[in-house]
Amino acid sequence: IQPNRKPVNYTDVTSATMTFWEVGGSSTAALTLSTATSGLEMTAASGRILATITDEQATALTGDQYVYALELNWTGGAVDRLVDGTMTVLARSEATS
């Protein structure tokens, strides 16, 4: 979605990747979601991108602060960063038996 909230047609996008890195942690990604593997779903004509983190992936995020970037790979090889920002893990619950 552009800042003016109008949908963008992503028909020429070949894939998208969303990467998370722990703030103050390793330069290695803590989590990567992708339309090519799992975690990201894109509806090109409507301009919608849905990111889903599984319970297993969420459990593996042991830090409290993360930075993320969502990048689009276009036909022809161009790569655009659509959005980036920070994410705070607010609460964790543990399963009880």
Side-chain angles (χ1 to χ4, degrees):
I1 303 272
Q2 292 178 326
N4 61 6
R5 304 252 185 233
K6 291 183 180 178
V8 175
N9 187 326
Y10 296 122
T11 302
D12 291 332
V13 172
T14 59
S15 65
T17 304
M18 188 170 196
T19 308
F20 298 83
W21 299 270
E22 186 175 357
V23 172
S26 169
S27 60
T28 303
L31 175 63
T32 301
L33 307 176
S34 172
T35 56
T37 55
S38 67
L40 284 182
E41 295 178 41
M42 184 181 327
T43 307
S46 71
R48 296 190 183 271
I49 299 173
L50 174 66
T52 304
I53 298 174
T54 66
D55 290 342
E56 183 177 287
Q57 291 168 323
T59 300
L61 296 175
T62 58
D64 294 329
Q65 284 277 338
Y66 292 84
V67 293
Y68 65 86
L70 174 62
E71 295 183 328
L72 305 177
N73 300 294
W74 296 86
T75 301
V79 177
D80 285 326
R81 182 169 286 190
L82 180 64
V83 65
D84 57 25
T86 60
M87 175 182 81
T88 303
V89 178
L90 295 176
R92 291 186 176 80
S93 61
E94 299 199 18
T96 57
S97 46

